[in-house]
């Protein structure tokens, strides 16, 4: 998505508490499993019982940490963060976890606070300049203010909580405690696991599988858990109402993760099956855009009987273009990332399955590649409805002008892509695929309904025609 003037992030968080483990090393592996959630920078903070130690750096987890770095992160408590920057390139200025109180507390945040007026006023009242702070840093600084007034970390979080207006799944650490808490709607995922005597918190359960931990439960919306020598203590700070961002199911989460008890891979296959029921196309092969659309394409093939074919190959050592910060970098990556298999495509009537269309620029170039490889026909099916509204909860879609479905009808999008036909999954079909009630989700990108207010950020509104054309095919 396009670079914006405000720092908005969708990231990964991880935390571990245990008396007989090398916490930083476990956190390293946990962050590795969560690499898909952020590729701009990474950081780990550990506690040796007396103070916190931090290592941060730009780039991928594999490049940020060396053996000597992990050896400089002692202790049995650690939290980590992968950053997905939406305000330009990677640098250390806003890397997380954020350290405060002379290395006595650390905070790592996944999500976005679109309304920060209350936080800013509070900090300014305490003589703190906020102009250079992003939302995560303001959150950490407010917590630090309450600690300076004598509060312990759990109480400081509770006092800060009413000022946090937006989406947040947060891990925090002191020298002797690990804490985790979510916004009242649970927009972003956050789960609790167990590894021997250790307790683990992660953005997604795939991180538990990587380190051999067992999933225990999701941290509830509006809940804070405190992990220390006494075990796990739960505090329900506010009444929660589960509204997980359904885009986690559609695209962002790793397919082997569990979200609300559902395996993401199965949900995505169900999305493809729903597509097959809604769109019966006379074609020779169905081809996924790798990797995220593979389950949906398999579901379509199994339901429709159209042959599944890996007609596009992916160089797995290139970043996900969705979360690269500039259009120039995305286009350069695409040329190295996806290669059509001419023998599979030549002379064929091809159905391409993609999980979503944001701007359409990438898919247009892929279409040109498919035709260039000799495809006879090209039909594009999308395993989600049109993205018609901006996201203010952490995915970088802040401007309606960046969303092709906000300004064009389905027929116009088809013509822009230059393909024979285009179809989107219906809203109801998307919900059915999850096997959960629609009330469980935030579907704001698709219907414009925001369960948590975004008052300061809703100046851009897409045209209503985009919503009306959601179930159309062209």
């Amino acid at each position: 998505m396009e670079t914006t003037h405000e720092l908005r992030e969708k990231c990964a968080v991880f935390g571990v508490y245990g008396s007989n483990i090398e916490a930083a090393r476990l956190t390293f592996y946990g962050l590795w499993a969560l690499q898909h959630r952020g590729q701009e920078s990474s950081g780990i903070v550990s506690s040796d019982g007396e103070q916190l130690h931090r290592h941060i750096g730009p780039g991928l987890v594999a490049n940020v940490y060396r053996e000597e770095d992990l050896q400089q992160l002692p202790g049995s408590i650690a939290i980590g963060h992968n950053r997905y920057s939406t305000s330009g390139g990677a640098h250390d200025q806003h890397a997380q976890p954020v350290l405060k109180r002379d290395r006595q507390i650390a905070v790592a945040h996944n999500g976005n606070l679109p309304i920060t007026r209350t936080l800013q006023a509070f900090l300014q009242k305490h003589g703190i300049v906020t102009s250079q702070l992003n939302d995560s840093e303001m959150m950490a600084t407010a917590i630090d203010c309450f600690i300076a007034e004598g509060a312990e970390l759990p109480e400081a979080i509770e006092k800060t909580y009413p000022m946090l207006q937006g989406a947040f799944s947060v891990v925090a650490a002191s020298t002797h405690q690990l804490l985790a808490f979510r916004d009242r709607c649970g927009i972003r995922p956050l789960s609790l696991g167990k590894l021997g005597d250790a307790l683990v918190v992660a953005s997604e359960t795939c991180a538990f599988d990587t380190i051999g931990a067992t999933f225990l439960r999701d941290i509830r919306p509006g809940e804070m858990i405190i992990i220390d020598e006494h075990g796990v203590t739960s505090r329900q700070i506010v009444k929660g109402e589960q509204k997980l961002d359904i885009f986690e199911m559609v695209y962002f989460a790793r397919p082997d993760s569990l979200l609300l008890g559902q395996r993401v891979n199965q949900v995505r296959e169900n999305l493809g099956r729903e597509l097959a029921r809604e769109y019966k196309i006379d074609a020779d092969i169905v081809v996924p855009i790798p990797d995220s659309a593979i389950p949906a394409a398999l579901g379509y093939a199994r339901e429709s009987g159209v042959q599944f074919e890996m007609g596009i190959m992916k160089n797995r050592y290139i970043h996900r273009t969705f979360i690269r910060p500039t259009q120039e970098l995305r286009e350069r990556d695409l040329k190295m990332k996806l290669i059509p298999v001419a023998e599979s495509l030549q002379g064929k009537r091809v159905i391409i399955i993609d999980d979503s269309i944001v701007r359409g620029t990438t898919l247009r170039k892929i279409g040109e590649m498919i035709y260039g490889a000799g495809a006879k026909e090209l039909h594009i099916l999308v395993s989600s409805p049109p993205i018609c509204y901006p996201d203010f909860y952490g995915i970088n879609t802040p401007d309606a002008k960046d969303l092709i479905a906000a300004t064009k009808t389905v027929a116009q999008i088809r013509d822009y892509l230059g393909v024979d036909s285009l179809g989107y999954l219906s809203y109801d079909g998307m919900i059915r695929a999850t096997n959960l009630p629609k009330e469980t989700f935030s579907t704001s990108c698709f219907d414009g309904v925001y369960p948590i207010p975004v008052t300061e950020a809703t100046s851009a509104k897409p045209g209503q025609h985009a919503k009306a054309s959601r179930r159309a095919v062209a």
Side-chain angles (χ1 to χ4, degrees):
M1 304 219 167
E2 301 293 350
T3 300
T4 66
H5 296 296
E6 296 179 76
L7 186 68
R8 299 238 171 93
E9 302 177 70
K10 179 175 172 61
C11 309
V13 295
F14 186 91
V16 59
Y17 180 101
S19 57
N20 298 310
I21 57 171
E22 192 176 352
R25 193 174 298 276
L26 281 178
T27 301
F28 165 78
Y29 287 115
L31 293 177
W32 192 304
L34 298 169
Q35 184 72 86
H36 60 288
R37 298 187 69 88
Q39 301 178 347
E40 297 301 317
S41 64
S42 186
I44 295 175
V45 167
S46 72
S47 169
D48 62 7
E50 296 183 0
Q51 71 170 5
L52 302 182
H53 306 264
R54 183 172 78 154
H55 178 78
I56 59 174
L60 303 177
V61 171
N63 299 325
V64 171
Y65 307 98
R66 300 167 298 174
E67 178 61 32
E68 51 265 41
D69 300 321
L70 295 177
Q71 291 176 1
Q72 296 301 312
L73 295 169
S76 59
I77 303 173
I79 65 172
H81 184 272
N82 288 339
R83 178 170 177 251
Y84 150 51
S85 167
T86 62
S87 65
H91 50 76
D92 291 348
Q93 181 182 354
H94 297 294
Q96 297 187 46
V98 180
L99 271 181
K100 289 291 181 182
R101 190 66 14 204
D102 193 26
R103 292 182 174 269
Q104 294 297 299
I105 65 167
V107 177
H109 168 215
N110 169 208
N112 181 54
L113 307 181
I115 302 175
T116 58
R117 185 186 298 118
T118 304
L119 262 180
Q120 288 177 309
F122 171 81
L123 295 174
Q124 289 166 2
K125 183 179 178 181
H126 284 73
I128 296 168
V129 177
T130 62
S131 59
Q132 299 300 313
L133 300 180
N134 66 16
D135 55 350
S136 305
E137 291 159 346
M138 282 191 276
M139 176 195 302
T141 305
I143 293 169
D144 186 51
C145 286
F146 286 116
I147 292 177
E149 294 172 357
E152 295 294 324
L153 180 56
E155 289 67 39
I157 290 171
E158 285 197 70
K159 290 175 180 288
T160 302
Y161 196 99
M163 295 187 283
L164 305 181
Q165 297 173 279
F168 51 90
S169 288
V170 180
V171 294
S174 66
T175 56
H176 61 287
Q177 289 178 318
L178 172 67
L179 297 93
F181 58 98
R182 293 175 83 185
D183 63 73
R184 63 178 177 83
C185 290
I187 299 287
R188 297 288 159 231
L190 193 63
S191 299
L192 175 67
K194 185 176 178 61
L195 177 62
D197 294 331
L199 289 160
V200 188
V201 176
S203 290
E204 292 182 37
T205 63
C206 63
F208 298 155
D209 298 329
T210 297
I211 65 171
T214 301
F215 168 70
L216 295 179
R217 67 176 179 88
D218 291 331
I219 294 167
R220 295 185 293 272
E223 180 189 19
M224 174 176 67
I225 63 167
I226 306 159
I227 305 173
D228 56 23
E229 60 183 344
H230 304 295
V232 180
T233 303
S234 170
R235 297 186 189 179
Q236 193 68 35
I237 300 178
V238 298
K239 183 180 179 180
E241 180 185 13
Q242 182 63 72
K243 294 285 185 180
L244 180 74
D245 184 354
I246 201 167
F247 208 60
E248 295 277 356
M249 293 276 199
V250 170
Y251 171 80
F252 216 90
R254 232 174 72 167
D256 52 332
S257 287
L258 283 170
L259 294 178
L260 302 179
Q262 303 295 312
R263 187 71 64 181
V264 173
N265 188 75
Q266 185 59 58
V267 171
R268 291 178 185 165
E269 182 175 330
N270 294 346
L271 292 169
R273 290 183 179 274
E274 292 290 340
L275 264 179
R277 294 172 189 136
E278 294 184 12
Y279 299 103
K280 301 184 187 302
I281 298 174
D282 191 10
D284 300 308
I285 58 173
V286 56
V287 175
I289 302 293
D291 283 328
S292 57
I294 290 176
L298 282 169
Y300 186 94
R302 288 165 178 167
E303 185 69 23
S304 67
V306 178
Q307 179 180 326
F308 176 90
E309 188 80 37
M310 286 298 297
I312 303 174
M313 301 307 295
K314 178 182 178 182
N315 179 348
R316 302 181 188 280
Y317 297 94
I318 303 297
H319 298 179
R320 293 173 82 172
T321 57
F322 180 90
I323 58 176
R324 293 290 283 165
T326 68
Q327 181 65 26
E328 180 183 354
L329 286 173
R330 276 192 301 272
E331 291 181 1
R332 183 196 65 189
D333 283 355
L334 181 63
K335 294 175 183 177
M336 296 188 294
K337 180 179 180 179
L338 299 177
I339 303 296
V341 181
E343 291 79 5
S344 298
L345 302 169
Q346 193 166 17
K348 300 290 181 61
R349 298 167 298 172
V350 180
I351 298 172
I352 291 287
I353 305 289
D354 204 357
D355 48 64
S356 56
I357 303 178
V358 182
R359 295 181 186 81
T361 52
T362 297
L363 196 54
R364 183 180 184 179
K365 293 179 181 300
I366 291 173
E368 292 171 354
M369 287 167 30
I370 300 298
Y371 279 124
K376 182 179 178 181
E377 296 178 10
L378 178 55
H379 308 270
I380 292 180
L381 294 178
V382 185
S383 59
S384 64
I387 300 175
C388 298
Y389 296 87
D391 176 90
F392 300 107
Y393 299 141
I395 302 175
N396 185 24
T397 57
D399 297 315
K401 65 180 176 59
D402 290 331
L403 306 173
I404 192 170
T407 57
K408 297 181 186 294
T409 66
V410 173
Q412 290 170 333
I413 298 171
R414 177 205 61 200
D415 292 343
Y416 171 79
L417 297 177
V419 297
D420 292 283
S421 71
L422 169 67
Y424 286 89
L425 182 63
S426 68
Y427 181 91
D428 291 341
M430 176 179 66
I431 297 298
R432 281 195 301 271
T434 69
N435 292 315
L436 292 167
K438 65 180 180 180
E439 294 78 13
T440 307
F441 297 103
S442 167
T443 57
S444 57
C445 287
F446 305 113
D447 61 12
V449 177
Y450 299 93
I452 296 175
V454 292
T455 305
E456 292 178 9
T458 53
S459 58
K461 279 289 184 181
Q464 293 302 306
H465 74 276
K467 182 178 179 182
S469 67
R470 178 172 59 201
R471 298 185 64 178
V473 59

